[in-house]
Amino acid sequence: MIDRNVLEKKFSVGLCLNESMEDIRSFFEKNHRYLNSVYFSLPLGMRFFSRESLANEYDNNDNKLFDVLSMISYFGIRREMAINTWNLTKEELDQAIDYCKTKNLLPEEIVCLRNYGDVFRTEFPDAEIKYSVNNSESDGKYITKAFDTLVAGKGLLRDMTARHFYIEQGYNITLLLNNGCLSICNTDCDSIQCHRYFDYMINEHGLDYVYALCSFFPSEFKALLEHDKYAKLYKFKISNRPLGLLYTQQVLDAYLGLEDDYEAMRNDYRKMALFSTVHPLAIRLQNVNLQNVSEQKTKWIMELKNGTDWET
């Protein structure tokens, strides 16, 4: 039996700025004991966002953003600034830094790409600098000492040996639980390329296997907490932007519950998206055979219990 107290201040979620202030406050009131950080972007235009819908959410919304950031601090949650879009120029990085200085914004955490690490380490020496899963080398092979933390998704989510290597090298680990990206993808995030990778994997291995691989169920989370010797050192990130507070709450509740609800997923196939947000799978969920998924995940959990790495 896992005591829920071990999950206090362990989760990171994205800021849902398009929700009402009342609903945002209610969410933090309910969940602040479990939230380590809330990640957000800067309202500096499309270059700083991976999705147009997010850019629109932040556009001309500075006052609300800073009201929410103050609320986050009030609830004892760390503010995590995300600067993890590709090919930002020195001028654009300077723009982000100048914006923070002008607004007197000193984020406790900054998640960014490898090429930006030294810049933010210099400008924000007291912040925790995190190596984004958006890096093309997301397995951490090229992480530098500019970074305190490796955000581990894709193959690292199931590679206990690699996670332990980075812990023993002195890095913190944040596990991105429900993003769903493929471990074979080592390119910058591109929708067309993403669909091609999934088409290839599904043709090679079948939809059920690929969904099992690219989702992370509460039972797997529980097995990791019970059988990974470094589990108490990890933090956990939820991919939830721009899906809203209801989605975020459902994902958080599911992982805190530590049990799979196959009945709910059979009754509403969209529930499977709680554990994998990636679009090429979302459009195929209705065709997933959950019995096959369950059998595959049971196999991987047994491998973890036996001390072997899961497949990737």
Side-chain angles (χ1 to χ4, degrees):
M1 177 67 70
I2 296 174
D3 186 343
R4 264 199 183 190
N5 291 334
V6 304
L7 295 174
E8 290 186 0
K9 295 301 178 186
K10 287 292 187 178
F11 287 92
S12 172
V13 300
L15 175 58
C16 302
L17 196 58
N18 59 343
E19 304 277 0
S20 72
M21 290 295 288
E22 180 181 358
D23 287 343
I24 293 172
R25 175 175 286 276
S26 295
F27 177 82
F28 291 144
E29 284 178 342
K30 180 177 180 179
N31 299 293
H32 66 91
R33 64 178 289 204
Y34 298 111
L35 296 180
N36 171 69
S37 67
V38 173
Y39 56 93
F40 64 95
S41 301
L42 297 181
L44 298 176
M46 189 61 213
R47 290 280 292 153
F48 290 85
F49 293 88
S50 58
R51 302 176 185 88
E52 186 176 356
S53 58
L54 278 178
N56 293 337
E57 190 175 308
Y58 280 74
D59 189 36
N60 295 317
N61 227 351
D62 290 46
N63 290 340
K64 184 176 181 181
L65 171 62
F66 280 88
D67 286 345
V68 176
L69 291 177
S70 295
M71 187 189 302
I72 290 169
S73 295
Y74 172 81
F75 282 106
I77 305 166
R78 291 159 67 86
R79 300 163 301 171
E80 179 179 344
M81 184 171 72
I83 307 287
N84 56 1
T85 53
W86 281 83
N87 300 318
L88 294 177
T89 65
K90 180 181 183 301
E91 289 73 22
E92 287 168 326
L93 294 177
D94 288 342
Q95 180 187 10
I97 292 165
D98 289 344
Y99 180 88
C100 290
K101 290 180 177 178
T102 300
K103 298 291 188 178
N104 198 28
L105 172 61
L106 293 173
E108 289 78 24
E109 303 181 9
I110 300 170
V111 59
C112 65
L113 299 186
R114 177 167 61 93
N115 292 342
Y116 312 156
D118 287 328
V119 172
F120 288 114
R121 169 58 67 210
T122 299
E123 295 292 336
F124 298 92
D126 297 325
E128 178 182 349
I129 310 297
K130 305 170 80 169
Y131 188 92
S132 172
V133 77
N134 284 5
N135 280 287
S136 57
E137 316 86 358
S138 59
D139 58 3
K141 186 191 308 184
Y142 298 111
I143 193 171
T144 71
K145 289 300 179 182
F147 293 90
D148 304 291
T149 299
L150 173 63
V151 181
K154 301 182 181 179
L156 283 174
L157 187 58
R158 301 187 187 279
D159 190 340
M160 185 167 60
T161 300
R163 294 198 304 270
H164 290 185
F165 170 81
Y166 290 113
I167 288 286
E168 290 161 5
Q169 292 295 308
Y171 293 102
N172 304 316
I173 292 285
T174 294
L175 293 177
L176 178 54
L177 297 177
N178 70 324
N179 176 256
C181 288
L182 285 164
S183 60
I184 64 168
C185 179
N186 280 305
T187 60
D188 55 332
C189 192
D190 176 270
S191 177
I192 294 174
Q193 193 76 346
C194 180
H195 279 270
R196 286 174 179 166
Y197 277 129
F198 273 95
D199 288 343
Y200 166 77
M201 285 292 288
I202 290 168
N203 287 335
E204 287 290 311
H205 302 284
L207 175 59
D208 299 337
Y209 176 87
V210 174
Y211 174 74
L213 180 67
C214 294
S215 59
F216 200 72
F217 279 14
S219 59
E220 297 175 277
F221 182 50
K222 180 181 179 182
L224 183 147
L225 293 174
E226 291 177 331
H227 299 286
D228 185 327
K229 68 178 182 179
Y230 288 137
K232 291 183 179 179
L233 300 180
Y234 300 151
K235 290 186 172 64
F236 308 103
K237 184 173 184 176
I238 289 173
S239 179
N240 66 304
R241 298 199 301 174
L243 298 173
L245 285 178
L246 176 60
Y247 174 87
T248 308
Q249 188 66 63
Q250 289 176 336
V251 176
L252 190 58
D253 286 343
Y255 284 123
L256 289 171
L258 301 171
E259 292 184 2
D260 300 337
D261 190 344
Y262 280 96
E263 182 178 358
M265 289 186 283
R266 290 189 184 97
N267 290 335
D268 183 355
Y269 69 88
R270 293 171 297 181
K271 295 288 186 183
M272 287 187 275
L274 298 177
F275 312 113
S276 179
T277 65
V278 69
H279 185 256
L281 283 181
I283 60 177
R284 295 176 164 98
L285 291 178
Q286 194 168 6
N287 299 317
V288 171
N289 184 316
L290 280 169
Q291 181 60 40
N292 293 339
V293 171
S294 175
E295 290 172 2
Q296 185 62 64
K297 288 185 177 295
T298 298
K299 175 178 177 289
W300 288 333
I301 289 172
M302 290 306 300
E303 289 174 358
L304 177 63
K305 291 179 178 180
N306 292 332
T308 57
D309 283 329
W310 297 344
E311 298 176 42
T312 59

